[in-house]
Amino acid sequence: MLSADKFAVKEQVKFLKNHKTYDIFDPETKEQIGTAEEVISGLVKMLRWVIDGKFMGTKIEIREFPDKALVFTIRRGAYFFRSRVEVIDANGDLIGYFKSKLFSFSGGFHVYDKADKHFADVKGNF
C-alpha cells in the first residue's frame, strides 16, 4: 500500500456509530487496498456521547488488504490548545509526528521526524 502515490478514502457511514472507519482505495483501479479504523476504549466511546470527540485522544490503525496486516498507526492524545499526532510503524516504533501550529488563523501543522527535527509544514486553507 505504501508504494502508491495517491489514495481515495471513503468514510463508512453507520447510524449511531461513535468511532470512525474508512475504506482506502486505489483511485485508478477503484480497488480497495486497505482500511483505516479508529480504535478507542469503551470509556471513550461512552464519553463521546456527551463530550466532543476532538478533545479526547484517539488511535487509528491503517491496514492493507488482502491480509489486513498493520501498516502504521496514527495516535493523538487529548488536547486543548495544541495537538500532537504521532505516526508509528507496524513494529511500534515512532516514525515522526505532526504538531499543530499555535497561533495560526489558517491552521496547519509542523512536521517532525523521530529525532525531533522539523522538516516540513502543512498549511491550512483559511
Side-chain angles (χ1 to χ4, degrees):
M1 178 164 45
L2 293 179
S3 62
D5 293 337
K6 296 179 183 178
F7 301 98
V9 179
K10 180 180 177 187
E11 183 176 1
Q12 293 180 3
V13 180
K14 294 182 181 174
F15 186 66
L16 293 177
K17 184 177 162 186
N18 58 0
H19 74 281
K20 298 187 182 286
T21 305
Y22 304 89
D23 295 323
I24 304 170
F25 297 91
D26 180 328
E28 294 175 8
T29 65
K30 310 284 192 251
E31 180 182 341
Q32 186 173 359
I33 58 175
T35 61
E37 184 169 1
E38 190 173 32
V39 179
I40 54 177
S41 70
L43 177 63
V44 172
K45 285 181 183 179
M46 290 186 335
L47 287 173
R48 283 195 175 175
W49 292 108
V50 293
I51 299 172
D52 191 348
K54 69 182 178 183
F55 295 114
M56 291 184 272
T58 189
K59 180 170 103 172
I60 299 174
E61 292 181 345
I62 291 73
R63 297 182 176 275
E64 65 183 339
F65 279 4
D67 58 354
K68 294 202 175 196
L70 181 64
V71 179
F72 63 92
T73 303
I74 301 170
R75 182 174 61 199
R76 177 184 51 79
Y79 74 96
F80 289 105
F81 297 109
R82 270 185 105 173
S83 66
R84 175 181 161 127
V85 179
E86 296 178 336
V87 182
I88 300 153
D89 69 12
N91 297 322
D93 297 324
L94 179 69
I95 297 171
Y97 62 94
F98 301 87
K99 189 178 266 188
S100 63
K101 294 180 179 178
L102 188 56
F103 296 109
S104 173
F105 290 109
S106 62
F109 291 88
H110 299 294
V111 185
Y112 298 86
D113 65 10
K114 63 182 176 184
D116 293 324
K117 181 181 177 198
H118 176 259
F119 69 91
D121 286 309
V122 176
K123 294 183 180 182
N125 187 4
F126 188 81

